[in-house]
């Protein structure tokens, strides 16, 4: 009996003992880089889109620059053609004048009233008036005649500026035994036939008579005027 007890004591009861087991470590899962749209390909696509938009902007800027340059060239040619037309010699003479070319693109003011007696008397007495083209300066008209009239035998004898007190303003030309006064009035160009002497003195005698008349009219004393007094 003692032998059996010892044998039983030597046998350990292991049924109620829990032995923890070592857990096997999970293998690390390496994430593979996807080769789809959201990987390197997306960067390339974005770069292509950026380059394309940049190219579009550059093309637009170049187009605008070319358009501005083209408009500038067209404007320059238009101005040159306008100046050439102004500098061209008109084939028509001034109505009522001899050997005086009309300024290019100018029009006779009274062309629709030629049948009226006042207009016919105005023209037959050696006068004429023309309406100038838009944006035409009187200095351009004077320069035109300074180039053209000497070719026709006319000589410039006097230039009187606007505002002169002793003479009538305008350009005075002489040819043989006749003279002509070209002047500006109401932003138009007017022509008047004068004598050679009147052209050389700038119609100073007429100015004196006008001054005497004005002084006479402002005089308080009664005056008897001649029937033909203007």
């Amino acid at each position: 009996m003692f032998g059996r007890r010892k044998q039983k004591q030597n046998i350990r009861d292991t049924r109620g003992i829990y032995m923890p087991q070592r857990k096997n470590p999970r293998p690390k899962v390496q994430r593979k880089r996807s080769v789809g749209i959201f990987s390197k390909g997306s960067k390339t696509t974005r770069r292509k889109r950026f380059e394309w938009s940049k190219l579009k902007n550059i093309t637009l800027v170049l187009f605008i620059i070319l358009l501005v340059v083209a408009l500038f060239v067209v404007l320059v040619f238009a101005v040159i053609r306008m100046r050439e037309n102004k500098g061209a010699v008109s084939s028509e003479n001034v109505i009522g004048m001899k050997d005086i070319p009309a300024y290019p693109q100018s029009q006779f003011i009274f062309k629709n009233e030629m049948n009226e007696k006042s207009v016919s008397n105005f023209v037959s007495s050696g006068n004429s008036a023309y309406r100038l083209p838009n944006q035409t300066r009187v200095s351009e008209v004077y320069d035109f005649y300074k180039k053209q009239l000497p070719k026709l035998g006319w000589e410039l004898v006097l230039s009187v500026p606007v505002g002169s007190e002793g003479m009538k303003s305008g350009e005075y030309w002489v040819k043989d035994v006749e003279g002509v006064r070209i002047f500006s009035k109401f932003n138009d160009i007017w022509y008047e036939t004068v004598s050679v002497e009147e052209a050389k003195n700038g119609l100073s005698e007429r100015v004196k008579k006008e001054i005497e008349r004005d002084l006479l009219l402002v005089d308080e004393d009664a005056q008897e005027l001649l029937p033909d007094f203007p």
Side-chain angles (χ1 to χ4, degrees):
M1 290 178 67
F2 293 102
R4 290 180 180 179
R5 286 178 181 178
K6 291 180 179 179
Q7 189 176 358
K8 289 180 180 181
Q9 291 177 356
N10 291 333
I11 297 174
R12 296 178 178 180
D13 190 3
T14 60
R15 286 177 298 178
I17 300 173
Y18 174 75
M19 297 295 292
Q21 296 181 357
R22 298 181 67 181
K23 296 181 180 181
N24 295 329
R26 293 181 180 178
K28 294 182 179 180
V29 179
Q30 294 182 355
R31 296 180 179 179
K32 295 182 179 180
R33 296 181 179 179
S34 58
V35 192
I37 301 174
F38 302 100
S39 61
K40 292 182 180 179
S42 63
K43 294 182 180 180
T44 306
T45 305
R46 291 176 184 175
R47 186 179 300 173
K48 288 182 179 180
R49 289 178 180 176
F50 175 75
E51 292 178 353
W52 174 246
S53 62
K54 189 175 181 181
L55 182 61
K56 286 175 63 178
N57 294 333
I58 294 174
T59 305
L60 181 61
V61 171
L62 291 176
F63 176 76
I64 294 174
I65 293 174
L66 291 175
L67 182 62
V68 172
V69 171
L71 291 175
F72 178 75
V73 171
V74 171
L75 181 62
V76 169
F77 276 104
V79 172
I80 293 174
R81 183 173 297 178
M82 186 181 300
R83 290 182 177 178
E84 290 178 352
N85 291 335
K86 286 184 177 181
V89 181
S90 177
S91 59
E92 298 180 356
N93 287 332
V94 174
I95 295 177
M97 310 297 292
K98 184 180 179 181
D99 294 335
I100 303 291
Y103 186 78
Q105 299 180 5
S106 62
Q107 296 181 354
F108 184 61
I109 295 178
F110 309 109
K111 63 179 181 179
N112 296 327
E113 294 86 14
M114 286 296 296
N115 295 328
E116 295 184 7
K117 185 176 180 180
S118 59
V119 175
S120 61
N121 291 335
F122 174 78
V123 174
S124 61
S125 60
N127 299 286
S128 191
Y130 276 70
R131 180 160 290 114
L132 296 176
N134 294 331
Q135 299 180 352
T136 302
R137 298 187 298 270
V138 180
S139 59
E140 296 177 352
V141 180
Y142 289 161
D143 291 339
F144 169 79
Y145 284 115
K146 286 178 182 178
K147 293 179 180 178
Q148 302 301 328
L149 290 185
K151 300 177 183 178
L152 300 174
W154 291 91
E155 179 187 359
L156 179 65
V157 293
L158 189 63
S159 296
V160 181
V162 177
S164 176
E165 296 180 357
M167 293 181 290
K168 292 287 186 179
S169 63
E171 302 277 301
Y172 293 86
W173 295 83
V174 170
K175 180 181 180 181
D176 298 332
V177 293
E178 55 185 359
V180 64
R181 175 193 174 207
I182 303 175
F183 62 102
S184 174
K185 185 178 181 181
F186 308 125
N187 295 325
D188 299 319
I189 197 71
W190 290 61
Y191 306 85
E192 180 183 3
T193 301
V194 295
S195 65
V196 175
E197 184 179 356
E198 289 175 334
K200 291 181 178 180
N201 60 34
L203 296 174
S204 59
E205 293 297 326
R206 184 189 299 180
V207 174
K208 289 180 181 179
K209 291 182 179 180
E210 290 178 355
I211 294 174
E212 292 176 358
R213 181 193 61 188
D214 294 338
L215 292 175
L216 186 61
L217 292 176
V218 298
D219 193 359
E220 295 179 358
D221 299 334
Q223 300 287 337
E224 292 183 2
L225 303 179
L226 297 175
D228 58 345
F229 193 86

